[in-house]
């Protein structure tokens, strides 16, 4: 099945997609497969952890994105996640990896371990996981998140490029958790001011945390 899926990925790839993905920091080891086609393959394969391991080890961008869709969350272990995060070299695969970890039992463990890292992608993954905890883990008290507001305020302007983006998103997620943290997060955002992130040759923008938090709450109402 491994060879068959690689052939399908290759057939789905287009030069137009490859151009787009290059602008988002993806290297040359890619086919250029659309998200729609990746989802179609995911639906076909369902969960297949052994295949996910094989696909990840190819180093191919599209194969790695697909692998995170079909890997079994119940078969995750800390050693495997550490190996995978050290392989990451762009934010697209970082998001795919954190999306997988969000379905495992290791979200908090890896968030806390990875946020302080000097490696751009490891730290980006850690802050992404913190954002997930803020919006989804109802068992954590506000006191768990409040110190991270101070860390974000202190460090956001001096961290590496995509870490700044992930920290800004974590700030937004904390502000979306409840009304108490909304106020705290917006006060933090006001003190931080504009967060600069280099998005390369794309039209992507870094959201203003304070206004984005307001829009989140307005949609809920």
């Amino acid at each position: 099945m491994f060879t068959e899926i690689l052939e399908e990925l290759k057939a789905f790839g287009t030069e137009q997609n490859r151009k787009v993905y290059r602008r988002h920091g993806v290297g040359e080891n890619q086919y250029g497969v659309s998200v729609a086609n990746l989802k179609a393959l995911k639906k076909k394969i369902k969960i297949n952890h052994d295949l996910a391991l094989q696909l990840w080890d190819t180093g191919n961008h599209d194969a790695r994105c697909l692998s995170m869709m079909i890997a079994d969350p119940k078969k995750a272990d800390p050693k495997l996640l550490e190996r995978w995060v050290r392989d990451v070299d762009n934010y697209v695969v970082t998001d795919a990896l954190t999306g997988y970890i969000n379905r495992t039992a290791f979200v908090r463990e890896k968030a806390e371990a990875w946020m302080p890292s000097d490696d751009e992608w490891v730290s980006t993954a850690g802050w992404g996981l913190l954002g997930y905890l803020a919006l989804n883990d109802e068992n954590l008290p506000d006191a768990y998140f409040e110190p991270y507001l101070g860390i974000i305020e202190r460090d956001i302007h001096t961290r590496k490029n995509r870490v700044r983006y992930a920290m800004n998103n974590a700030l937004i997620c904390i502000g979306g958790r409840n009304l108490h943290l909304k106020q705290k997060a917006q006060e933090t955002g006001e003190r931080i001011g504009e967060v600069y992130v280099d998005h390369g040759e794309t039209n992507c923008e870094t959201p203003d945390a304070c206004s984005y938090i307001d829009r989140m709450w307005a949609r809920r109402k």
Side-chain angles (χ1 to χ4, degrees), residues 175-194:
R177 184 172 175 85
N178 57 46
L179 288 172
H180 170 71
L181 287 176
K182 174 181 183 289
Q183 180 178 347
K184 293 281 188 181
Q186 289 192 307
E187 290 171 355
T188 300
E190 287 171 359
R191 290 192 292 270
I192 288 171
E194 183 178 359

Side-chain angles (χ1 to χ4, degrees), residues 145-160:
F145 296 99
E146 288 173 349
Y148 288 112
L149 294 175
I151 294 171
I152 292 169
E153 181 176 348
R154 183 192 68 199
D155 295 344
I156 193 167
H157 292 302
T158 60
R159 296 300 301 272
K160 292 180 180 178

Side-chain angles (χ1 to χ4, degrees), residues 9 17 30 33 39 53 60 64 85 115 155 173 220:
L9 284 169
N17 285 338
Q30 60 157 309
V33 182
K39 288 181 177 179
L53 294 173
N60 178 272
R64 284 184 167 175
V85 80
M115 280 184 285
D155 295 344
C173 292
R220 292 177 186 180

